[in-house]
Amino acid sequence: SSSPVQTKCSTEMSRAANLQTCRFDSNYCAPGFCNAQGRFSPAKDLSAYASGSIVIVARSSTPDYTGFKVAFGGRGVPKTSIFGGGSFKANFAFPGTPVAGGPFEAVTVPLGDFSYDWSGFTGRCDTKDPARGLNQQHYCCPASGLTPSKPEVCPTPKYLEEVTDIEIWAEGVNGTFHIEIDSITIKV
């Protein structure tokens, strides 16, 4: 079983009528963030799914918001910056595939889209941090099609042996967002 979902938002987030807003945070030279996180106890062995996908069944009244991300952490995942890392993260977007009998959509995110080398300023793997982040260039997994890329930042069975948490983020993009999650699964 997993612990209750916890959410945390940067100080530049506001909440009104179930909508959240990311605003530019001058302390970080980037828009803010908000995330919801669930923990697994005990950790889950997902190493058999290294070539699989995460499927998020969700709905959003703001499907054009481009800052949605999904992340997962586990034992031994490298931390690559002072502001982020220690988990794999990937972007996802609506629309997904409609789910029969309801208002939800299934959004599929291949594990090849994930990278542990993501920016704590944007949440993305294809960006370079500002000077405050030491101008660090981040790298994507080659299977994502994003550049720059290198294979060592991809999820491998080694990093999937003890997955401890799953997270949904709205990050790095100014704008109002809304998302409701029905389920998150992994498939081969």
Side-chain angles (χ1 to χ4, degrees):
S1 71
S2 62
S3 65
V5 172
Q6 299 176 347
T7 61
K8 57 185 175 183
C9 297
S10 74
T11 57
E12 294 298 312
M13 300 299 296
S14 65
R15 183 177 186 109
N18 267 344
L19 293 176
Q20 299 270 345
T21 302
C22 276
R23 292 193 180 92
F24 189 81
D25 185 338
S26 60
N27 291 323
Y28 294 103
C29 301
F33 71 92
C34 186
N35 76 355
Q37 185 178 82
R39 299 212 180 270
F40 302 115
S41 180
K44 304 291 182 191
D45 181 356
L46 303 178
S47 58
Y49 298 91
S51 62
S53 299
I54 290 182
V55 179
I56 304 161
V57 176
R59 66 180 175 181
S60 176
S61 62
T62 58
D64 295 332
Y65 179 73
T66 60
F68 290 124
K69 295 170 181 63
V70 58
F72 62 90
R75 181 182 57 83
V77 178
K79 183 173 172 133
T80 58
S81 86
I82 59 173
F83 296 113
S87 62
F88 288 93
K89 192 179 282 191
N91 299 324
F92 71 91
F94 290 94
T97 303
V99 175
F104 290 91
E105 301 172 40
V107 178
T108 301
V109 187
L111 286 185
D113 287 1
F114 286 80
S115 172
Y116 69 65
D117 188 15
W118 51 269
S119 169
F121 292 88
T122 66
R124 296 182 59 92
C125 60
D126 60 348
T127 59
K128 186 174 184 177
D129 289 342
R132 182 167 183 208
L134 307 176
N135 297 307
Q136 180 179 351
Q137 176 64 61
H138 296 278
Y139 294 88
C140 302
C141 184
S144 71
L146 299 172
T147 58
S149 66
K150 58 185 181 180
E152 55 266 30
V153 302
C154 303
T156 61
K158 169 183 148 183
Y159 294 127
L160 297 172
E161 289 176 349
E162 289 186 47
V163 174
T164 57
D165 62 82
I166 186 86
E167 305 168 15
I168 298 292
W169 292 72
E171 176 182 31
V173 176
N174 283 322
T176 299
F177 67 91
H178 164 260
I179 189 168
E180 294 177 43
I181 306 294
D182 182 60
S183 65
I184 301 173
T185 56
I186 190 164
K187 68 176 188 174
V188 176

